[in-house]
Amino acid sequence: MSLRSVMQVIPLSVRGHPADVDRPLDEDDEAALAARERPMAFAPVYERHRDAVWRYLRARCRSEDDAVELTAVTFERALSAVHGYSPRGAGMRAWLVRIARNAAIDHDRRGRALAASAAVLDAQRDPHPTPDEALLASDERELLMARLRALPSAQRDAIALRFGAGMTAREIGAVLGKGEEATQKTISRGLARLREAYRDDH
């Protein structure tokens, strides 16, 4: 059974540079090592990390459909590359998001739109807005997306990883090839630029 078949059975709930760290093997490491001989052993990794990967990709893509498609691509690539996974490093989630980031970059190179989304704004949105509130939220979301797209790529990626995938600065650093302190500065600078842009717009 292919991983795509596994993902059809387990739906989405919402429809580098490894760190130099020694750590004991965890469930993800054991599953990845087992998947080298039995691909179906990778299924629990998909179950544990599909949402984080999807949220990150949703923060990079204009549409939910693109994020869903690239999530599938990410896990297919991960399964194909599982022989190259090393338990020594920042862990499975950082490895998967690094693959997701590359898939998103490839997607953009094919001429399809790639942009950061308003993940933070989405998390704060009222689930039952009035029509006027819904219109205002839509306008604000478009403004925030435009501001995010205007950030330098490193800041945009770091913010998408932090608020889209819920990753720590250390994990983000493993994806972007930066140290933890440098990553935190990148996030802080990006957020400062967003605040400045917000003040200029109001």
Side-chain angles (χ1 to χ4, degrees), residues 2-3 35 39-40 42 74-83 95:
S2 70
L3 189 61
M40 283 302 298
F42 201 68
T74 296
F75 282 95
E76 287 172 353
R77 288 185 181 183
L79 184 57
S80 296
V82 75
H83 285 83
W95 185 69

Side-chain angles (χ1 to χ4, degrees), residues 52-187:
V53 170
W54 183 90
R55 285 192 299 270
Y56 166 66
L57 288 167
R58 187 64 190 94
R60 295 264 333 223
C61 299
R62 283 192 182 276
S63 76
E64 185 170 316
D65 287 344
D66 285 346
V68 170
E69 177 188 341
L70 288 174
T71 299
V73 169
T74 296
F75 282 95
E76 287 172 353
R77 288 185 181 183
L79 184 57
S80 296
V82 75
H83 285 83
Y85 173 74
S86 173
R88 177 184 170 84
M92 178 60 70
R93 183 166 63 167
W95 185 69
L96 289 170
V97 173
R98 196 158 53 242
I99 294 172
R101 181 172 181 252
N102 289 336
I105 291 169
D106 291 345
H107 182 263
D108 189 38
R109 285 176 182 157
R110 292 195 304 267
R112 300 176 67 179
L114 177 71
S117 76
V120 181
L121 187 60
D122 284 344
Q124 297 172 345
R125 183 176 297 168
D126 184 344
H128 306 291
T130 66
D132 287 344
E133 289 170 339
L135 182 61
L136 179 61
S138 176
D139 289 344
E140 288 178 347
R141 187 173 191 277
E142 288 303 315
L143 282 171
L144 182 53
M145 287 178 68
R147 294 182 195 118
L148 284 166
R149 285 195 298 271
L151 290 176
S153 61
Q155 293 177 5
R156 186 181 67 235
D157 278 349
I159 289 172
L161 288 164
R162 176 68 186 89
F163 296 102
M167 298 177 76
T168 65
R170 186 178 72 84
E171 291 173 322
I172 295 166
V175 173
L176 300 181
K178 293 175 177 284
E180 183 173 354
E181 185 177 345
T183 298
Q184 191 57 58
K185 286 180 181 176
T186 299
I187 295 169

